[in-house]
Amino acid sequence: MPDPTSLRIIHYPDSRLRARSAPVDRFNAELRDLAARMLMLMRESKGVGLAAPQIGVLLRLFVMNPTGQPSDDRVLVNPVIDEMEGSAVATEGCLSIPGVSVQIRRPVACRIVAQNLAGEPMELRGRDLVARIWQHETDHLNGVLILDRMGPSDRVATRKVLRALEDPVR
Ligand code: ZN
């Protein structure tokens, strides 16, 4: 793994954002350093979540903080989402797609089964913003972006911004 301090948030259309990330199998100091770096970058960017592939590391973990309070920092490793309930539309942005914010329909509540940085299992239930962050970040681990989930009107509305990101010199 590269030196975590050299890692930065990567942006669409970087192909690493489209990869399926591999399970974490080593719960060591490197993993803890990586998570610490991700939490720092998330905080710097005022985000509520950041997945490892967003800094070019293709491993199944993400960090999140729905409130911005340091005590609400969470790291979820090898997450699996199930038991989804309900459905609601809300606005989502993504630190890897600057300037884009779109309406996304998702289940309102779900369960997440994951591991912590020590490899210990955890099982949580969440709803609303927390459940949405879990789903958005787990999508990243499968190479799925909000661009894949937005509706036709957002597809039209974001076309120019996406084109500029795809071809920044034009
Ligand atoms: Zn994102």
Side-chain angles (χ1 to χ4, degrees):
M1 200 183 293
D3 173 10
T5 59
S6 69
L7 297 168
R8 303 273 182 275
I9 295 176
I10 61 173
H11 293 146
Y12 173 87
D14 191 308
S15 63
R16 289 170 288 181
L17 294 169
R18 290 309 197 172
R20 188 178 169 81
S21 290
V24 172
D25 57 5
R26 285 183 201 163
F27 295 83
N28 54 15
E30 267 192 8
L31 185 71
R32 292 192 291 278
D33 288 349
L34 174 66
R37 177 69 180 166
M38 288 167 62
L39 283 164
M40 208 203 89
L41 290 169
M42 176 183 72
R43 199 170 304 126
E44 260 181 21
S45 314
K46 300 190 187 338
V48 292
L50 185 70
Q54 292 183 273
I55 58 168
V57 176
L58 300 181
L59 288 174
R60 303 188 77 81
L61 78 147
F62 67 79
V63 300
M64 64 173 290
N65 187 324
T67 67
Q69 296 296 318
S71 59
D72 288 332
D73 279 351
R74 295 287 180 273
V75 180
L76 286 95
V77 182
N78 297 329
V80 175
I81 286 176
D82 62 7
E83 298 182 14
M84 293 177 272
E85 280 173 37
S87 169
V89 174
T91 306
E92 290 183 31
C94 180
L95 294 177
S96 291
I97 319 175
V100 168
S101 104
V102 293
Q103 301 288 302
I104 309 275
R105 178 173 290 280
R106 295 194 190 267
V108 176
C110 64
R111 179 175 83 144
I112 195 164
V113 178
Q115 286 164 283
N116 66 15
L117 282 173
E120 296 158 350
M122 60 167 107
E123 181 194 320
L124 303 166
R125 276 168 207 283
R127 55 184 304 113
D128 302 321
L129 178 61
V130 167
R132 189 167 284 269
I133 297 170
W134 290 346
Q135 293 172 67
H136 178 120
E137 301 309 331
T138 300
D139 271 355
H140 274 300
L141 306 183
N142 297 321
V144 174
L145 300 174
I146 52 174
L147 307 179
D148 308 320
R149 298 199 181 276
M150 66 188 177
S153 61
D154 278 328
R155 213 165 282 285
V156 173
T158 57
R159 192 171 288 157
K160 268 190 188 159
V161 183
L162 293 180
R163 232 176 248 161
L165 289 168
E166 285 159 11
D167 190 2
V169 292
R170 191 161 57 189

